[in-house]
Coordinates of all heavy atoms in Angstrom, one line a residue:
G739 N -67.1 42.3 -42.0 CA -68.1 43.0 -42.8 C -68.1 44.5 -42.7 O -67.3 45.1 -41.9
T740 N -68.9 45.2 -43.4 CA -68.9 46.7 -43.4 C -70.3 47.2 -43.2 O -71.3 46.5 -43.4 CB -68.3 47.2 -44.8 OG1 -69.1 46.7 -45.9 CG2 -66.9 46.8 -45.0
H741 N -70.4 48.5 -42.9 CA -71.6 49.2 -42.8 C -71.5 50.5 -43.6 O -70.7 51.4 -43.2 CB -72.0 49.5 -41.3 CG -73.2 50.4 -41.2 ND1 -74.5 49.9 -41.2 CD2 -73.4 51.7 -41.2 CE1 -75.4 50.8 -41.1 NE2 -74.7 52.0 -41.1
K742 N -72.2 50.6 -44.7 CA -72.1 51.8 -45.5 C -73.1 52.9 -45.0 O -74.3 52.8 -45.1 CB -72.5 51.5 -47.0 CG -72.3 52.6 -47.9 CD -72.2 52.1 -49.4 CE -73.4 51.3 -49.8 NZ -74.6 52.3 -50.0
A743 N -72.4 53.9 -44.4 CA -73.2 55.0 -43.9 C -73.8 55.9 -45.0 O -73.3 55.9 -46.1 CB -72.3 55.9 -43.0
S744 N -74.8 56.7 -44.6 CA -75.5 57.4 -45.7 C -74.7 58.7 -46.1 O -75.1 59.2 -47.2 CB -76.9 57.9 -45.1 OG -76.8 58.6 -43.9
S745 N -73.8 59.1 -45.4 CA -73.0 60.3 -45.7 C -71.7 60.3 -45.0 O -71.5 59.6 -44.0 CB -73.7 61.6 -45.5 OG -73.9 61.8 -44.1
I746 N -70.7 61.1 -45.4 CA -69.5 61.2 -44.7 C -69.7 61.8 -43.3 O -69.1 61.3 -42.3 CB -68.5 62.1 -45.5 CG1 -68.0 61.4 -46.7 CG2 -67.3 62.6 -44.6 CD1 -67.1 62.2 -47.6
K747 N -70.6 62.8 -43.2 CA -70.9 63.4 -41.9 C -71.4 62.3 -40.9 O -71.1 62.4 -39.7 CB -71.9 64.5 -42.0 CG -71.3 65.8 -42.5 CD -72.3 66.9 -42.5 CE -71.7 68.2 -43.0 NZ -72.7 69.4 -43.0
V748 N -72.3 61.5 -41.4 CA -72.8 60.4 -40.5 C -71.7 59.5 -40.0 O -71.7 59.1 -38.8 CB -73.9 59.6 -41.2 CG1 -74.3 58.3 -40.5 CG2 -75.2 60.4 -41.4
A749 N -70.8 59.1 -40.9 CA -69.7 58.2 -40.5 C -68.8 58.9 -39.5 O -68.3 58.3 -38.6 CB -68.9 57.8 -41.8
E750 N -68.5 60.2 -39.7 CA -67.7 61.0 -38.8 C -68.4 61.0 -37.4 O -67.7 60.9 -36.4 CB -67.5 62.4 -39.3 CG -66.6 62.5 -40.5 CD -66.7 63.9 -41.2 OE1 -67.7 64.6 -41.1 OE2 -65.6 64.3 -41.8
A751 N -69.7 61.3 -37.4 CA -70.4 61.4 -36.1 C -70.5 60.0 -35.4 O -70.3 60.0 -34.2 CB -71.8 61.9 -36.4
A752 N -70.6 59.0 -36.2 CA -70.7 57.6 -35.6 C -69.4 57.3 -34.8 O -69.4 56.8 -33.7 CB -70.9 56.6 -36.7
K753 N -68.3 57.7 -35.4 CA -67.0 57.4 -34.8 C -66.9 58.2 -33.5 O -66.5 57.7 -32.4 CB -65.9 57.7 -35.7 CG -64.5 57.8 -35.1 CD -64.1 56.5 -34.4 CE -62.7 56.6 -33.7 NZ -62.3 55.4 -32.9
V754 N -67.1 59.5 -33.6 CA -66.9 60.4 -32.4 C -67.8 60.1 -31.2 O -67.4 60.2 -30.1 CB -66.9 61.8 -32.9 CG1 -68.3 62.4 -32.9 CG2 -66.0 62.7 -32.0
I755 N -69.0 59.5 -31.5 CA -69.9 59.2 -30.4 C -69.5 57.9 -29.7 O -69.9 57.6 -28.6 CB -71.4 59.3 -30.7 CG1 -71.8 58.1 -31.6 CG2 -71.7 60.6 -31.4 CD1 -73.3 57.9 -31.7
E756 N -68.9 57.0 -30.5 CA -68.5 55.7 -29.9 C -67.7 55.9 -28.6 O -67.9 55.4 -27.5 CB -67.6 54.9 -30.8 CG -68.4 54.3 -32.0 CD -67.5 53.6 -33.0 OE1 -66.3 53.3 -32.7 OE2 -67.9 53.4 -34.1
N757 N -66.6 56.8 -28.7 CA -65.8 57.0 -27.6 C -66.4 58.0 -26.6 O -66.1 58.0 -25.4 CB -64.4 57.5 -28.0 CG -63.6 56.4 -28.7 OD1 -63.6 55.2 -28.2 ND2 -63.0 56.7 -29.8
T758 N -67.2 58.9 -27.1 CA -67.9 59.8 -26.2 C -68.9 59.0 -25.2 O -68.9 59.3 -24.0 CB -68.7 60.9 -27.0 OG1 -67.8 61.6 -27.8 CG2 -69.5 61.8 -26.1
Q759 N -69.6 58.1 -25.8 CA -70.5 57.3 -25.0 C -69.7 56.5 -23.9 O -70.1 56.5 -22.7 CB -71.2 56.2 -25.8 CG -72.2 55.4 -25.1 CD -72.7 54.2 -25.9 OE1 -72.0 53.3 -26.3 NE2 -74.0 54.3 -26.2
R760 N -68.5 55.9 -24.2 CA -67.7 55.2 -23.3 C -67.2 56.2 -22.2 O -67.1 55.8 -21.0 CB -66.6 54.5 -24.0 CG -65.7 53.6 -23.1 CD -64.8 52.7 -23.9 NE -64.0 51.9 -23.0 CZ -64.4 50.8 -22.4 NH1 -65.6 50.4 -22.5 NH2 -63.5 50.2 -21.6
D761 N -66.7 57.3 -22.7 CA -66.2 58.3 -21.8 C -67.2 58.7 -20.7 O -66.9 58.8 -19.5 CB -65.7 59.6 -22.6 CG -64.9 60.5 -21.7 OD1 -64.0 60.1 -21.0 OD2 -65.2 61.8 -21.8
V762 N -68.4 59.0 -21.1 CA -69.5 59.4 -20.2 C -69.8 58.3 -19.2 O -70.0 58.5 -18.0 CB -70.8 59.9 -21.0 CG1 -71.9 60.0 -20.1 CG2 -70.5 61.2 -21.8
N763 N -69.9 57.1 -19.7 CA -70.1 55.9 -18.8 C -69.1 55.8 -17.8 O -69.3 55.5 -16.6 CB -70.3 54.7 -19.6 CG -71.7 54.5 -20.2 OD1 -72.7 54.5 -19.5 ND2 -71.8 54.3 -21.5
I764 N -67.8 55.9 -18.2 CA -66.7 55.8 -17.2 C -66.7 57.0 -16.2 O -66.5 56.8 -15.0 CB -65.3 55.7 -17.9 CG1 -65.2 54.5 -18.8 CG2 -64.2 55.7 -16.9 CD1 -64.0 54.4 -19.7
A765 N -67.1 58.1 -16.7 CA -67.2 59.3 -15.8 C -68.3 59.1 -14.8 O -68.1 59.5 -13.6 CB -67.6 60.5 -16.7
L766 N -69.4 58.4 -15.1 CA -70.4 58.1 -14.1 C -69.8 57.2 -13.0 O -70.0 57.5 -11.8 CB -71.6 57.4 -14.8 CG -72.6 56.9 -13.8 CD1 -73.3 58.0 -13.0 CD2 -73.7 56.1 -14.6
I767 N -69.1 56.2 -13.4 CA -68.5 55.3 -12.5 C -67.4 56.0 -11.6 O -67.3 55.7 -10.4 CB -67.9 54.0 -13.2 CG1 -69.0 53.3 -14.0 CG2 -67.3 53.1 -12.1 CD1 -70.2 52.9 -13.1
N768 N -66.7 56.8 -12.3 CA -65.7 57.6 -11.5 C -66.3 58.5 -10.5 O -65.9 58.6 -9.3 CB -64.8 58.4 -12.5 CG -63.6 57.7 -13.0 OD1 -63.1 56.7 -12.4 ND2 -63.1 58.1 -14.2
E769 N -67.4 59.1 -10.9 CA -68.1 60.0 -9.9 C -68.7 59.1 -8.7 O -68.7 59.5 -7.6 CB -69.2 60.8 -10.6 CG -69.9 61.8 -9.6 CD -70.7 62.8 -10.4 OE1 -71.7 62.4 -11.1 OE2 -70.4 64.0 -10.2
L770 N -69.2 58.0 -9.1 CA -69.7 57.1 -8.0 C -68.6 56.7 -7.1 O -68.8 56.6 -5.9 CB -70.4 55.8 -8.7 CG -71.7 56.0 -9.4 CD1 -72.1 54.7 -10.1 CD2 -72.8 56.6 -8.6

């Protein structure tokens, strides 16, 4: 299936935060 975002900027932001969230979570575990 698909998810139609409300704008191109929203779709761009959605993608870039997916990996940012994972990066920050791994960073926490690395610091631990």
